Amino acid sequence: MDRPDLARTAAARHEQFMQRALEQARIGQARGEPPFGVVIVDAGGVVVAADHDRVREHGDMSAHAEVLAVRAACRARGADLHGCTLYTTCEPCPMCYGAAWLARIGTIVYGTTMAAVAAVAGQAQRELRIDAGTMNAMSPEPLHLVDGIAAGACLALFATGAAGARPAPALP
């Protein structure tokens, strides 16, 4: 088997599904949500779940795209998502990484990093800035991480500043 062909095939697959995650992010952004989009794909290339942030819609700060997609995928396939890949427009926060890890998703592919988002959105993007590599290094069962897929397109969604950020919770 020709290894470069496998690499091109993997890169094309990653690009294809990141485009689907970007579509989800744009849908959310058009609805006033932060531009995070996710697609979960099984080993056969079947989309198991797709979603975007819904923190404003649900009034729930845990309604991140990754968590919602993991929940939907688990409802469809059961709690063990071994063999699935999670495509997300931005590096997952600790909560989202944890949800994917607990569901036994094997690979997370992300577009841009939280550090890059912080650079363009500043304090408007409220996240715990613990990078995925650090979380992965602390894991007894590390995930396969792939970063930088469609990074420019993913980061561009956040260039709108506060409009592209997850909101701070409302005060009572």
Side-chain angles (χ1 to χ4, degrees), residues 21-92:
L22 278 160
E23 289 171 15
Q24 286 295 316
R26 289 181 188 111
I27 291 168
Q29 192 173 40
R31 294 178 180 171
E33 297 287 353
F36 294 85
V38 171
V39 176
I40 297 176
V41 180
D42 71 13
V46 174
V47 174
V48 178
D51 215 330
H52 55 80
D53 262 32
R54 294 175 185 271
V55 295
R56 290 184 173 125
E57 175 186 336
H58 291 197
D60 176 359
M61 291 307 296
S62 70
H64 291 196
E66 298 90 339
V67 171
L68 296 173
V70 167
R71 289 175 183 161
C74 287
R75 282 192 302 272
R77 298 279 175 103
D80 187 343
L81 300 177
H82 180 80
C84 288
T85 299
L86 185 149
Y87 291 87
T88 180
T89 53
C90 187
E91 179 178 29

Side-chain angles (χ1 to χ4, degrees), residues 155-168:
L155 184 59
L157 295 172
F158 293 91
T160 58
R166 287 190 175 130

Side-chain angles (χ1 to χ4, degrees), residues 103-126:
R104 299 190 182 277
I105 288 175
T107 302
I108 296 177
V109 178
Y110 58 94
T112 191
T113 64
M114 279 309 306
V117 168
V120 299
Q123 296 304 312
Q125 184 55 47
R126 188 169 188 266

